[in-house]
């Protein structure tokens, strides 16, 4: 015979899966002798049995419930339904993971026309008894019988008005009696049945209702969002009532053992005198802060604060505790690990190590790396009030203030004049990149958390709000509306990308700073982690920021961003339009000193840490104007000014644009394929790097460039490009008389490179897995199209578990990474390996990188602290033997 029902003294906190979170903790607290009203838990397995049995409780389980009930009656000396000494209970749902979608708690079950009289006599407090009964009718009807609370509230309001009362406590016992008559009529009208008087019937109806609520719409949606499996089921807790509403020596409250927003070690919470559980949250009366309990009930306060210490020591974590005081006696009704802000999570973890409650490894595991995002961006100073204008999806955290602009070009022009702007668009496309770069933040009225704007903004660490549908944009008029309000181009707004709020005007901000506790935690992380953490940075400012956050080098420095600087685009176009080698050389020689300057800045900021520099990657047409726009301009000029020089120039440009036009630029003439056909471009870049190294050497600054050839698919490509780099290095060495060290490697971002990694390693000193493109090429998805068109549906319908551009796809892309590392190290055991896709800043992907034996991960500057923590967690979770040791056989 299977056991489905457990008394509180038969369980413990380890039995969470069976008893649910609430039930397991009630049992645990009973076990350690805390004052918990007695009761029993019907297990999650009973919930599953209920569904297997066509949504009814089997007689087997009914018997076990009745058996437990009689033991509860024996323990309390009361009896369900006995007017002389009635047992009243609460019915509380309790899933394994706390779930807001589940059934609301029912209090005072066991009340009926007879027991209410008994309660009145026993307590010598008829008012209390009738008030409790009417509360029970209202709650039970709402939760079990599906009769809306509204009808009851309306009746109560009418009664108050008729009698000239302004609040509930003014109602007398006689008044409540009248209300109860009315309540019963409401029930009869809506359910066509009388309110159930048999307490056992009340009990089983409630248990059914809890089990049913496991599969209500709210609960299903919540489970899907939070990836909670549906087969877990919920438990039901039946607990004898204690009353906080018997008079002024009673009360009820909720408290955290530490401040959940700052982490400070002090009791934090509130309570109400003469009230029942639901009153604190209902907001009818304003609760008092917990510390005033010290004056009102000194002994209870002392006992409560001692209990908090006991619970914290016992669970070794900050607790969130519900309590009730009945006639001066304290009862604990719930405890659980308290939810907290990132700031509090860090402080609590670090201080608990210092207090000797947990060790360093545990502290590191206590903080969720994802949560740290909150702390690593500029944010709105909470001291100032904010009035929300509209709200969209919180697509990329951080806060920003700026004037509204509706066009990427305009954003760029204004930014160049030193203006702070926020780009507002229906949605963004790759053509808007320069505008995003120039803006403080981005708002789109369409698109989701994985839309182009969201992805790009997150990559750049910029605040972004997507799908802000309340905003109606009129691009032609250069304004947007929210209801009645109009916001015009140039108006100042402030946004909070972490909450999705848009506000009018400027609100002061605070810069992200790493608190002392945060730095302490990261120092501990560095002590245990084995993965290196580098950053993706293309300019000296980002490099500097990343150093402050603890980056140990640059894993990806993209050189095309240097070309995209508006002052350089004409030079780049000159280079592209060159008709022959000599003309191109002239253009390149003008670009060389500019590139050299960039490299000097970045290498100097990295102070001897390695810097992986990727040679030019995007197809050349990205540096030329848009084809459609050019055609329009040419057509206009043909009419207005047919013989002009301007027209000739534009036509020449259009010819070149047409030559470079590609069907599928993603798979076209780009990456090392550019270097193979126009070696002089890569040669210029390589020389610029080595001149920079030589110049820094003169200043006594050490630099370690790692030159990376993008998009290699065949070893012959790398062989040729590597030779080109070596030749450039030798030339600069000869010219400057300087000796310097450098390495040459490749980005592994097409499947063929991973599959032939043994050959490619012959020519490479390092591999850097470019998992953004490797994901595109492995799935055969173009990211922009996928995220804009079908990926969201794939994830919602569980075709894919996650967005593979956010969380590395271990089974497919991951297998290629593993293969690449293994084959590469077969050829070169010392081969250095890293990852430089966006995955390098995501915790699950970082864990995979550690398990696969990579040397480092690289991510955007603001994610460096996240990566340091995630790398430490991976080390703690997987001992060395779990890590695939990829040695040559
Ligand atoms: P939730 O999960 O929504 O917090 P709970 O089951 O914890 O629901 O209960 C709701 C309120 O009722 C809480 O304030 C709780 O303390 C109170 N409560 C629950 N059971 C009892 C009981 N047996 N006696 C007194 N108050 C109770
Ligand atoms: Mg609760
Ligand atoms: Mg690429």
């Amino acid at each position: 015979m299977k056991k489905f029902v457990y008394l509180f003294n038969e369980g413990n906190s380890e039995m969470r899966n069976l008893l649910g979170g609430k039930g397991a903790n009630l049992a645990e607290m009973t076990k350690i002798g805390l004052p918990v009203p007695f009761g029993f838990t019907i297990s999650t397995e009973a919930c599953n049995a209920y569904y297997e049995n066509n949504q009814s409780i089997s007689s087997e389980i009914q018997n076990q419930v009745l058996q437990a009930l009689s033991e509860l009656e024996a323990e309390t000396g009361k009896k369900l339904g006995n007017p002389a000494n009635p047992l009243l209970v609460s019915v509380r749902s309790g899933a394994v993971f706390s779930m807001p979608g589940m059934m609301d708690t029912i209090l005072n079950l066991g009340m009926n026309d007879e027991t209410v009289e008994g309660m009145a006599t026993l307590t010598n407090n008829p008012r209390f008894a009738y008030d409790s009964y009417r509360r029970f009718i209202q709650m039970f009807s709402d939760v079990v019988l599906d009769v809306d609370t509204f009808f009851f509230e309306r009746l109560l309001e009418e009664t108050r008005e008729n009698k000239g009362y302004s609040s509930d406590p003014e109602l007398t016992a006689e008044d409540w009696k009248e209300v109860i008559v009315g309540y019963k009529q409401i029930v009869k009208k809506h359910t066509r049945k009388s309110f159930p008087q048999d307490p056992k019937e009340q009990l089983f109806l409630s248990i059914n209702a809890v089990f049913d609520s496991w599969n209500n719409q709210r609960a299903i949606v919540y489970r899907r969002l939070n990836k909670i499996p549906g087969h877990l089921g919920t438990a039901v807790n039946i607990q004898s009532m204690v009353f906080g509403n018997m008079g002024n020596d009673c009360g009820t409250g909720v408290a955290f053992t530490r401040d959940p927003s700052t982490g400070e070690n002090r009791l934090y919470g509130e309570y109400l005198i003469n009230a029942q559980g639901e009153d604190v949250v209902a907001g009818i009366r304003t609760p008092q802060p917990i510390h005033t309990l010290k004056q009102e009930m000194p002994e209870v306060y002392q006992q409560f604060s001692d209990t908090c210490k006991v619970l914290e020591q016992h669970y070794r974590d900050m607790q969130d505790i519900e309590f009730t005081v009945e006639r001066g006696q304290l009862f604990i009704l719930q405890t659980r690990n308290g939810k907290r802000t990132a700031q509090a999570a860090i402080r609590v973890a670090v201080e608990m190590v210092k207090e000797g409650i947990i060790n360093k490894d545990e502290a590191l595991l206590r903080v969720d790396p994802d949560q740290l995002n909150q702390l690593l961006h500029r944010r709105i100073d909470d001291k100032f009030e904010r009035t929300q204008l509209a709200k969209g999806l919180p697509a990329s955290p951080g806060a920003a203030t700026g004037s509204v602009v509706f066009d990427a070009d305009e954003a760029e022009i204004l930014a160049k004049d030193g203006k702070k702007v926020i780009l507002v668009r229906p949605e963004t496309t790759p053509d808007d990149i320069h505008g995003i770069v120039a803006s403080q933040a981005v708002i789109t009225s369409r698109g989701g958390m994985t839309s182009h704007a969201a992805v790009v903004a997150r990559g750049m660490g910029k605040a972004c709000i997507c799908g802000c549908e309340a905003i109606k944009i009129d691009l032609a008029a250069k304004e947007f509306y929210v209801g009645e309000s109009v916001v015009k181009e140039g108006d100042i707004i402030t946004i909070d990308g972490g909450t999705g709020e848009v506000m009018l005007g400027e609100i002061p901000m605070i810069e992200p700073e790493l608190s002392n506790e945060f730095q302490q935690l990261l120092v501990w992380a560095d002590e245990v982690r084995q993965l290196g953490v580098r950053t993706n940075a293309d300019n000296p400012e980002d490099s500097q920021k990343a150093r402050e956050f603890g980056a140990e080098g640059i894993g990806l420095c993209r050189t095309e961003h240097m070309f995209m600087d508006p002052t350089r685009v004409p030079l780049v176009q000159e280079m592209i339009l060159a008709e022959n080698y000599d003309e191109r050389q002239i253009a390149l020689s003008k670009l060389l000193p500019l590139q050299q300057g960039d490299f000097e800045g970045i290498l100097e900021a990295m102070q001897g840490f390695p810097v992986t520099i990727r040679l030019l990657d995007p197809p050349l047409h990205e540096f030329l104007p848009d084809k459609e726009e050019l055609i329009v301009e040419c057509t206009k000029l043909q009419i207005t000014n047919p013989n002009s020089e301007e027209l000739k120039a534009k036509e020449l440009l259009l010819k070149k644009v047409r030559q470079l036009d590609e069907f599928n630029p993603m798979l076209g003439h780009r990456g090392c394929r550019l270097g193979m056909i126009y070696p002089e471009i890569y040669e210029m870049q390589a020389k610029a790097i080595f001149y920079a190294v030589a110049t820094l050497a003169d200043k006594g600054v050490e630099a370690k460039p790692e030159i990376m050839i993008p998009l290699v698919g065949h070893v012959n490509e790398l062989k040729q490009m590597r030779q080109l780099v070596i030749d450039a290095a030798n030339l600069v060495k000869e010219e400057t008389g300087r000796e310097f060290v450098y390495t040459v490697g490749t980005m592994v971002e097409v499947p063929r490179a991973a599959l032939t990694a043994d050959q490619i390693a012959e020519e490479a000193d390092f591999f850097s897995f470019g998992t953004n493109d490797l994901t595109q090429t492995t799935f055969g998805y173009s990211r922009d199209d996928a995220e804009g068109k079908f990926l969201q549906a794939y994830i919602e319908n569980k075709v894919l578990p996650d967005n593979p551009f956010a969380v590395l796809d271990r089974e497919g892309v991951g297998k290629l990474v593993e293969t690449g590392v293994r084959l590469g190290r077969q050829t070169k055991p010392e081969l250095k390996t890293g990852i430089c896709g966006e995955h390098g800043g995501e915790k699950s992907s970082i864990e995979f990188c550690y398990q696969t034996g990579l040397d480092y991960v690289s991510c955007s500057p603001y994610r460096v602290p996240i990566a340091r923590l995630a790398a430490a967690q991976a080390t703690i979770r997987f001992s060395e033997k779990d890590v695939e040791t990829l040695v040559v056989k």
Side-chain angles (χ1 to χ4, degrees):
M1 199 178 70
K2 191 164 184 168
K3 189 169 169 64
F4 287 105
V5 180
Y6 295 80
L7 294 168
F8 285 174
N9 60 13
E10 292 178 319
N12 61 55
S13 61
E14 312 269 276
M15 292 163 73
R16 210 186 159 88
N17 286 338
L18 199 60
L19 304 180
K22 202 179 277 171
N25 283 335
L26 285 168
E28 183 75 17
M29 289 193 292
T30 306
K31 196 178 84 179
I32 62 174
L34 293 179
V36 177
F38 201 55
F40 56 90
T41 304
I42 306 165
S43 74
T44 55
E45 287 177 350
C47 177
N48 290 330
Y50 171 82
Y51 279 100
E52 279 156 30
N53 194 30
N54 293 320
Q55 302 201 21
S56 77
I57 302 178
S58 66
S59 55
E60 167 68 47
I61 296 176
Q62 284 188 32
N63 287 336
Q64 291 192 28
V65 170
L66 293 173
Q67 177 60 35
L69 178 64
S70 59
E71 289 181 54
L72 175 58
E73 288 172 336
E75 176 76 26
T76 56
K78 302 176 183 171
K79 220 168 160 56
L80 198 69
N82 176 2
N85 191 11
L87 172 68
L88 300 181
V89 295
S90 62
V91 178
R92 318 171 69 186
S93 66
V96 179
F97 303 101
S98 133
M99 272 177 50
M102 298 290 303
M103 196 196 84
D104 292 328
T105 294
I106 298 171
L107 301 178
N108 310 340
L109 188 139
M111 282 270 180
N112 60 22
D113 293 351
E114 291 174 2
T115 51
V116 71
E117 306 288 347
M119 283 298 284
T121 323
L122 265 178
T123 59
N124 198 16
N125 190 345
R127 194 194 167 279
F128 155 76
Y130 291 106
D131 180 23
S132 301
Y133 188 20
R134 72 90 199 174
R135 283 173 192 255
F136 170 56
I137 298 177
Q138 187 168 340
M139 252 186 274
F140 187 89
S141 302
D142 175 32
V143 176
V144 180
L145 305 176
D146 220 10
V147 185
D148 207 308
T149 315
F150 163 77
F151 299 109
F152 301 100
E153 289 294 343
R154 191 174 56 183
L155 180 85
L156 186 52
E157 212 176 290
E158 284 167 9
T159 313
R160 271 197 310 257
E161 260 169 42
N162 293 341
K163 310 216 174 233
Y165 298 149
S166 59
S167 68
D168 288 355
E170 295 170 50
L171 273 76
T172 62
E174 289 307 311
D175 295 334
W176 284 125
K177 269 193 197 169
E178 262 174 57
V179 170
I180 289 166
V181 172
Y183 273 16
K184 287 205 226 154
Q185 280 163 359
I186 295 175
V187 173
K188 184 110 194 210
K189 181 165 161 228
H190 284 89
T191 66
R192 290 158 204 276
K193 279 189 210 147
S194 302
F195 186 80
Q197 289 289 320
D198 175 3
K200 285 197 176 132
E201 186 190 347
Q202 295 171 352
L203 181 65
F204 281 105
L205 282 173
S206 306
I207 297 170
N208 278 334
V210 174
F211 287 157
D212 287 337
S213 76
W214 177 249
N215 277 327
N216 70 23
Q217 208 51 39
R218 280 191 302 170
I220 290 172
V221 171
Y222 185 84
R223 282 204 293 275
R224 195 167 64 210
L225 284 176
N226 293 280
K227 303 203 169 115
I228 297 174
H231 66 79
L232 291 177
T234 180
V236 188
N237 301 292
I238 312 293
Q239 185 174 29
S240 57
M241 285 298 303
V242 286
F243 296 95
N245 55 337
M246 274 187 183
N248 286 337
D249 54 352
C250 305
T252 185
V254 184
F256 288 81
T257 53
R258 301 187 186 217
D259 185 331
S261 64
T262 65
E264 194 188 334
N265 191 357
R266 61 173 182 121
L267 275 187
Y268 176 98
E270 49 195 23
Y271 71 101
L272 271 176
I273 289 292
N274 196 8
Q276 215 170 24
E278 76 274 15
D279 297 340
V280 179
V281 269
I284 305 165
R285 285 157 59 196
T286 309
Q288 286 175 277
I290 194 82
H291 61 83
T292 61
L293 188 65
K294 202 171 187 169
Q295 283 93 55
E296 280 197 274
M297 300 182 179
E299 275 156 37
V300 171
Y301 181 84
Q302 192 52 49
Q303 196 192 346
F304 180 64
S305 82
D306 292 346
T307 305
C308 286
K309 289 216 180 72
V310 169
L311 281 171
E312 208 179 60
Q313 291 280 345
H314 187 75
Y315 284 95
R316 306 168 71 240
D317 200 355
M318 173 179 110
Q319 296 298 296
D320 166 1
I321 300 166
E322 287 174 9
F323 66 95
T324 284
V325 181
E326 181 183 302
R327 298 206 160 136
Q329 202 186 340
L330 175 72
F331 293 93
I332 306 295
L333 289 166
Q334 189 171 343
T335 193
R336 59 185 157 193
N337 294 340
K339 293 224 171 0
R340 60 204 85 174
T341 62
Q343 192 193 348
I346 292 169
R347 179 158 174 188
V348 170
V350 169
E351 291 189 348
M352 283 196 162
V353 171
K354 304 211 158 135
E355 293 160 25
I357 299 175
I358 58 177
N359 65 34
K360 288 183 193 175
D361 282 0
E362 286 172 301
L364 287 165
L365 292 175
R366 287 280 168 90
V367 180
D368 181 354
D370 288 344
Q371 234 192 342
L372 297 182
N373 250 329
Q374 288 176 16
L375 302 178
L376 295 168
H377 290 86
R378 258 153 55 97
R379 55 185 197 276
I380 294 173
D381 194 334
D382 288 329
K383 282 205 296 290
F384 297 89
E385 202 169 303
R386 35 173 120 177
T387 328
Q388 182 183 315
L389 180 68
K391 193 163 183 182
L393 300 171
S396 178
T401 291
S403 47
V404 171
V405 52
F406 294 95
D407 175 88
D409 294 338
E410 189 66 26
E412 190 168 35
I413 293 165
L414 290 172
K416 231 182 286 167
D417 290 346
K419 279 239 171 59
K420 295 199 154 145
V421 297
I422 294 182
L423 182 63
V424 181
R425 298 281 306 164
E427 58 201 353
T428 66
T429 70
D431 292 338
D432 297 318
I433 291 281
H434 59 296
I436 301 178
V437 171
S439 303
Q440 303 296 311
V442 185
I443 304 176
T444 67
S445 56
R446 288 199 290 264
M449 302 283 283
T450 61
S451 64
H452 178 266
V455 172
V456 172
R458 281 198 294 272
M460 295 182 186
K462 277 185 206 267
C464 175
I465 296 175
C466 287
C468 193
E469 284 167 8
I471 286 182
K472 307 285 175 240
I473 303 175
D474 185 342
L475 286 177
K478 296 194 173 178
E479 54 195 27
F480 72 75
Y481 306 88
V482 183
E484 302 279 280
S485 335
V486 186
V487 177
K488 294 189 187 314
E489 185 174 84
D491 288 355
I492 304 280
I493 58 170
T494 298
I495 76 159
D496 183 338
T499 62
E501 289 169 288
V502 181
M503 286 137 299
L504 275 183
E506 184 172 350
I507 309 177
M509 314 266 175
I510 30 185
E511 285 294 323
E513 77 283 1
L514 301 188
S515 66
N516 291 341
E517 290 92 6
F518 197 171
Q519 293 189 25
Q520 175 66 75
L521 192 76
L522 289 175
V523 167
W524 292 340
D526 293 345
E527 282 167 16
V528 293
R529 75 181 157 88
Q530 283 155 334
L531 266 176
V533 175
R534 297 196 191 181
T535 191
N536 298 351
D538 308 331
N539 57 55
E541 300 83 69
D542 282 358
S543 312
Q544 191 50 44
K545 186 95 235 160
R547 277 290 304 130
E548 285 165 27
F549 282 154
E552 303 157 309
I554 292 181
L556 176 63
C557 170
R558 286 164 291 207
T559 51
E560 57 270 19
H561 286 182
M562 305 167 183
F563 282 12
M564 281 180 183
D565 184 303
T567 59
R568 300 183 188 178
V569 168
L571 289 177
V572 178
Q573 291 187 348
E574 192 182 320
M575 183 264 289
I576 296 171
L577 294 175
E579 290 293 329
N580 53 49
Y581 177 82
D582 289 340
E583 268 185 48
R584 184 165 300 112
Q585 278 297 357
I586 293 171
L588 284 169
S589 65
K590 293 185 206 160
L591 280 169
L592 189 141
L594 300 172
Q595 282 251 286
Q596 184 184 332
D598 296 328
F599 293 138
E600 281 172 25
I602 292 167
L603 289 165
E604 187 162 12
M606 274 299 146
Q607 302 166 20
F609 282 111
V611 176
T612 305
I613 301 168
R614 179 178 76 182
L615 301 187
L616 192 66
D617 182 55
L620 294 180
H621 69 78
E622 281 196 10
F623 300 98
L624 297 181
D626 179 65
K627 185 170 73 174
E628 308 297 327
E629 275 171 27
L630 262 183
I631 293 175
V632 172
E633 282 170 27
C634 285
T635 316
K636 270 191 198 154
L637 283 170
Q638 273 157 10
I639 297 161
T640 57
N641 207 351
N643 295 317
S644 63
E645 282 299 309
E646 197 190 351
L647 177 59
K648 262 191 222 150
K650 290 244 148 120
E651 279 176 342
L652 189 71
L653 196 56
L654 181 59
K655 191 174 139 215
K656 197 73 192 181
V657 169
R658 287 203 159 115
Q659 273 174 19
L660 292 175
D661 200 21
E662 293 183 325
F663 286 109
N664 197 335
M666 167 55 220
L667 303 174
H669 193 185
R670 58 176 303 181
C672 68
R673 302 157 201 165
L674 280 176
M676 296 291 287
I677 304 302
Y678 307 113
E680 55 276 21
I681 300 179
Y682 275 16
E683 204 175 271
M684 178 279 285
Q685 292 197 293
K687 280 193 206 157
I689 295 168
F690 295 127
Y691 282 131
V693 177
T695 309
L696 288 177
D698 289 342
K699 291 207 283 179
V701 178
E702 192 196 359
K704 279 199 198 129
E706 304 177 335
I707 290 109
M708 177 153 79
I709 312 295
L711 219 67
V712 165
H714 195 288
V715 61
N716 287 341
E717 291 171 319
L718 185 58
K719 194 170 183 178
Q720 208 166 313
M721 292 299 101
R722 178 188 175 86
Q723 193 54 51
L724 178 150
V725 173
I726 294 173
D727 290 346
N730 289 340
L731 190 126
V732 174
K733 279 183 182 170
E734 222 164 88
E735 234 177 75
T736 61
R738 277 277 171 198
E739 272 304 316
F740 44 79
V741 279
Y742 64 95
T743 56
V744 185
T746 182
M747 194 145 166
V748 177
E749 50 188 335
V750 296
R752 196 181 188 285
L755 296 170
T756 60
D758 46 346
Q759 295 170 29
I760 290 181
E762 300 276 1
E763 302 293 332
D765 303 316
F766 64 87
F767 284 173
S768 175
F769 291 89
T771 48
N772 289 359
D773 276 346
L774 191 59
T775 301
Q776 297 203 85
T777 54
T778 301
F779 276 91
Y781 294 167
S782 130
R783 178 173 186 172
D784 284 334
D785 291 329
E787 291 187 334
K789 298 197 169 82
F790 59 85
L791 207 51
Q792 202 50 40
Y794 268 35
I795 297 162
E796 268 164 30
N797 302 330
K798 298 205 176 123
V799 177
L800 294 177
D802 285 300
N803 178 350
F805 294 103
V807 180
L808 189 105
D809 157 51
R810 297 187 185 199
E811 293 169 354
V813 178
K815 192 176 265 177
L816 285 171
V817 173
E818 245 169 77
T819 308
V821 174
R822 183 168 40 79
L823 292 180
R825 288 193 180 149
Q826 246 169 47
T827 303
K828 248 185 211 159
E830 292 310 306
L831 185 80
K832 208 197 250 178
T833 56
I835 175 183
C836 63
E838 270 179 53
H839 304 99
E842 191 278 325
K843 63 181 176 186
S844 145
S845 314
I846 291 172
E847 185 183 276
F848 171 82
C849 291
Y850 172 68
Q851 288 177 284
T852 312
L854 295 191
D855 295 305
Y856 68 87
V857 296
S858 186
C859 57
S860 70
Y862 286 93
R863 299 197 73 88
V864 166
I866 298 176
R868 285 162 74 190
L869 178 62
Q873 292 186 347
T875 313
I876 297 166
R877 291 210 176 97
F878 299 91
S879 64
E880 217 122 341
K881 68 175 168 25
D882 298 326
V883 178
E884 229 177 301
T885 26
L886 301 160
V887 281
V888 202
K889 298 241 161 64

